[in-house]
Amino acid sequence: MTQELVDHRLQVGDRAPVIALPDASGNVVEIVPADSAATAVVFTSNGCPYALAWHDRIQDVARDYADRGVQVVQIVPNDAELQPLDSPAAMAARVERGEVAGTFLRDDDQTVARAFGATATPDVYVIDRHGVVRYHGAPDADYDDPAQRAIWLRDAIEDLLADKDVTRPSTSPAGCSVKWRLDLQWWAGCPSHDRAREMVLEVLDRMGRHDVRVQPVEVTSPAQAAALDFVGSPSFVIGGADLFADRGAPTALTCRTYRLEDGRFSPLPSIEELEKRMRAALVRPWELPGWVDFRKQQ
């Protein structure tokens, strides 16, 4: 089901979205913050060098705090065609080798990553038992220094276990950008989808974002339109979020109407407005306002 594109990313103090995703065996796991003293959610990757550098530190946190009521949930959000090491089969192999502690989940449609506003692998959130985000950022200040031991993550957990405010509630995420997929949803009754694809590829080229895959999704039935919240062709969807969400519009096999900046109606948005919305949805961690490279501050 398509979500409305959220204009802001999850902030400390916000309530975390629901997580119900398949594990490496395909079994859906629902994460219930109330069942744990604290929940660490880590968006990660099996192929990102930054995520791999921090990987053992994250597993140590999962093991060290397991008997203190803390759950560590690692979520792989990358498009598997762009990053084959993040496929379900590759995840299962890693579990089989004993390389993962805690819960290991696959966000295939990227809706959870989008709901959190994750931008990096790794991207860390610590949630209290009430479901409120109390820490967001990197595991620690230096991926290249194992002695750091994911100290920022550990400190946030310790503060929650002591029923204290988190001393350092936010830092800048650091790592590889999430490998997003843009679903271009279209219906054969409209002639605009070829031009829509050309526009998307042109915008991605302008942005230098060859790490984003465009997936055409043909909508062929009213039932499929309802399942996708498809309100017309073409629709531009990232992480389950319609870039031009029209709240309350009926789902249907129809041509979509866009209003241009000068008030005219059009079968397509302007390329300038499309670029604006794609840039907001596909922002990388180092493009965030206030981003800090902590390694350069040491």
Side-chain angles (χ1 to χ4, degrees):
M1 179 175 292
T2 304
Q3 303 169 355
E4 183 175 357
L5 183 68
V6 178
D7 292 333
H8 69 279
R9 297 171 202 286
L10 211 62
Q11 304 293 320
V12 171
D14 289 344
R15 186 168 295 278
V18 173
I19 299 173
L21 294 170
D23 62 15
S25 299
N27 301 310
V28 174
V29 177
E30 182 176 358
I31 304 303
V32 182
D35 292 345
S36 302
T39 301
V41 176
V42 183
F43 291 92
T44 190
S45 168
N46 300 316
C48 167
Y50 297 91
L52 292 172
W54 266 305
H55 178 78
D56 288 345
R57 281 172 257 181
I58 301 297
Q59 311 322 302
D60 287 343
V61 170
R63 298 184 188 100
D64 292 348
Y65 286 93
D67 62 356
R68 298 179 66 185
V70 175
Q71 62 176 335
V72 175
V73 181
Q74 297 167 80
I75 299 175
V76 176
N78 283 341
D79 179 83
E81 289 196 25
L82 289 168
Q83 179 48 273
L85 291 175
D86 286 340
S87 69
M91 290 176 61
R94 201 166 194 196
V95 170
E96 180 67 22
R97 293 193 298 268
E99 297 177 5
V100 181
T103 304
F104 197 37
L105 304 178
R106 170 81 187 149
D107 185 16
D108 188 63
D109 62 10
Q110 303 184 312
T111 55
V112 174
R114 171 59 55 207
F116 271 79
T119 60
T121 55
D123 206 343
V124 178
Y125 298 80
V126 177
I127 302 166
D128 66 20
R129 64 170 63 253
H130 303 293
V132 175
V133 176
R134 302 286 296 276
Y135 172 79
H136 172 225
D140 57 46
D142 193 346
Y143 66 86
D144 203 31
D145 181 7
Q148 294 259 335
R149 298 180 65 246
I151 189 62
W152 291 346
L153 170 56
R154 288 176 180 269
D155 283 349
I157 292 172
E158 289 288 350
D159 284 342
L160 287 190
L161 294 178
D163 198 25
K164 294 164 47 181
D165 289 337
V166 174
T167 303
R168 183 190 293 105
S170 63
T171 61
S172 293
C176 306
S177 59
V178 173
K179 301 303 179 278
W180 293 104
R181 180 180 68 252
L182 187 152
D183 290 336
L184 181 59
Q185 298 175 354
W186 62 282
W187 172 57
C190 291
S192 55
H193 56 273
D194 286 340
R195 175 54 187 154
R197 179 178 172 81
E198 291 173 359
M199 291 170 63
V200 166
L201 293 175
E202 181 179 340
V203 169
L204 290 174
D205 190 57
R206 287 185 191 179
M207 295 168 62
R209 293 301 301 272
H210 306 295
D211 59 338
V212 177
R213 184 169 70 87
V214 180
Q215 176 65 56
V217 179
E218 184 178 6
V219 183
T220 60
S221 70
Q224 185 186 8
L228 293 173
D229 283 346
F230 177 76
V231 298
S233 179
S235 290
F236 307 86
V237 177
I238 297 175
D242 189 331
L243 296 187
F244 295 84
D246 185 3
R247 184 177 296 176
T251 63
L253 296 180
T254 186
C255 298
R256 191 162 185 176
T257 301
Y258 292 87
R259 186 182 286 274
L260 302 181
E261 290 84 341
D262 62 6
R264 290 180 296 122
F265 291 103
S266 171
L268 291 167
S270 69
I271 195 166
E272 292 77 16
E273 185 63 23
L274 178 61
E275 179 172 353
K276 173 184 174 182
R277 295 183 186 225
M278 285 175 59
R279 284 187 181 276
L282 298 171
V283 67
R284 293 172 287 197
W286 53 90
E287 296 169 342
L288 292 170
W291 184 82
V292 175
D293 185 346
F294 290 100
R295 295 191 82 202
K296 292 183 178 179
Q297 293 191 341
Q298 296 181 57

